[in-house]
Amino acid sequence: MKDLNAFSLEGKVALVTGASYGIGFAIASAMAKAGATIVFNDIKQELVDKGIAAYQEAGIKAHGYVCNVCDEDAVNAMVAQIEKEVGVIDVLVNNAGIIKRIPMIEMSAADFRQVIDVDLNAPFIVAKAVIPSMIKKGGGKIINICSMMSEFGRETVSAYAAAKGGLKMLTRNIASEYGEYNIQCNGIGPGYIATPQTAPLREVQPDGSRHPFDQFIIAKTPAGRWGEAEDLGGPAVFLASEASNFVNGLILYVDGGIHAYIGKQPS
Ligand code: NAP
Ligand code: GCO
């Protein structure tokens, strides 16, 4: 590495999907601070508008587009519009995602398919849309937001775990298939992060105690806390920058040490 400029994203266009708030917003904000031009999408205009305002409040001029990442025609149209209005996408962060917490035998096939569609099929669709221009440009970076559930199962998240496990292998396959074009595809596997998606797992109980799952995660995390979306910014900037040009097919777990820890003995 020549110098710290290797971590710079100056002159890069970064598309972060589903980034009006939450982890996507934090990753996009960190990339903006590293010099990237930020493009994001969300499924509703009102959320795109809210996102643009939130980025402006953070001093970031972001470009927002309304697009359902599951709709291949809409994604292809959005990418073409971004290339025309902003520039070729150098960095793609497949962040948009949903979860449905339902015991598997009670889950409808339609619900299962919807989670697979957003969390696995959509990253395929968006990556497929951006790779041709990355090849023409001489390279690019793809970061897929995986999960602890790319490695572990737990009750009620069968569809999500299947999707995120598949996303881990899609990440490795894109790395394998397009590495020769100087495209690096890696994943970030966040631990348990305090966002709207995990709010139900952190609800204070009627008696004022912490949610049992909240207590469980605190016991399982050496850091003794839930992650903040901002904890993912640095790892994302690293994987988006030239500093990681020989890192490919990695799932970087940003989990406060959950993977390494058997868990604190209950008091
Ligand atoms: P979140 O708060 O629920 O935000 C998800 C974002 O994705 C929202 O902006 C949502 O927009 C957007 N989205 C959902 N479906 C979409 C679609 N079809 N097209 C376009 N945008 C869509 O989730 P988060 O906690 O920030 O998580 C972001 C990513 O990290 C997800 O992939 C999640 O699986 C993953 N992750 C989260 C955690 C965690 O602990 N929070 C840990 C590991 C991995 P709408 O509001 O319009 O639906
Ligand atoms: C759950 C949580 C997790 C997190 C994340 C952990 O219900 O277990 O929502 O799945 O979202 O994926 O890495």
Side-chain angles (χ1 to χ4, degrees):
M1 183 177 92
K2 304 178 191 64
D3 55 39
L4 284 179
N5 286 330
F7 291 91
S8 169
L9 301 182
E10 286 294 341
K12 304 290 185 187
V13 173
L15 168 61
V16 186
T17 65
S20 299
Y21 57 87
I23 286 173
F25 181 85
I27 285 177
S29 300
M31 289 185 172
K33 291 189 181 96
T37 297
I38 297 305
V39 184
F40 75 101
N41 74 297
D42 215 310
I43 208 163
K44 305 180 195 101
Q45 185 63 54
E46 64 182 291
L47 276 171
V48 169
D49 295 343
K50 278 186 185 169
I52 287 172
Y55 284 111
Q56 275 172 338
E57 203 171 309
I60 298 164
K61 181 185 176 303
H63 303 262
Y65 294 83
V66 178
C67 178
N68 178 344
V69 290
C70 300
D71 179 340
E72 188 166 21
D73 291 340
V75 166
N76 290 336
M78 174 181 69
V79 169
Q81 197 177 359
I82 292 167
E83 290 183 355
K84 188 172 159 222
E85 296 174 355
V86 185
V88 168
I89 295 163
D90 301 289
V91 179
L92 166 63
V93 181
N94 275 313
N95 167 77
I98 63 170
I99 192 167
K100 290 180 185 284
R101 299 183 184 94
I102 305 168
M104 197 191 88
I105 61 172
E106 296 168 24
M107 189 173 213
S108 69
D111 275 340
F112 190 94
R113 283 194 197 98
Q114 188 187 0
V115 174
I116 298 291
D117 210 20
V118 180
D119 294 1
L120 180 56
N121 294 344
F124 156 76
I125 287 169
V126 185
K128 181 183 162 192
V130 305
I131 284 172
S133 293
M134 285 183 174
I135 291 174
K136 284 192 195 108
K137 191 169 183 179
K141 299 281 188 176
I142 297 174
I143 301 167
N144 292 323
I145 306 301
C146 296
S147 161
M148 296 294 293
M149 282 38 233
S150 296
E151 303 292 346
F152 301 102
R154 84 173 187 86
E155 302 79 5
T156 76
V157 296
S158 59
Y160 183 83
K164 293 297 187 178
L167 186 57
K168 172 176 74 173
M169 288 315 300
L170 177 63
T171 300
R172 289 179 174 161
N173 210 76
I174 293 171
S176 306
E177 198 165 355
Y178 295 100
E180 68 179 281
Y181 301 102
N182 188 32
I183 292 171
Q184 292 85 48
C185 182
N186 294 288
I188 287 177
Y192 280 83
I193 312 297
T195 70
Q197 191 249 50
T198 55
L201 305 174
R202 290 178 280 108
E203 271 169 6
V204 175
Q205 303 301 283
D207 66 0
S209 63
R210 299 178 84 138
H211 189 294
F213 196 87
D214 181 359
Q215 297 178 48
F216 170 68
I217 292 304
I218 298 296
K220 287 287 283 180
T221 309
R225 67 173 175 89
W226 284 70
E228 296 298 330
E230 290 69 26
D231 288 321
L232 300 165
V237 167
F238 165 65
L239 289 177
S241 73
E242 291 182 7
S244 62
N245 277 359
F246 205 54
V247 178
N248 203 13
L250 171 75
I251 311 298
L252 176 55
Y253 286 97
V254 184
D255 64 0
I258 296 180
H259 265 89
Y261 189 34
I262 194 169
K264 188 179 288 297
Q265 176 183 332
S267 54

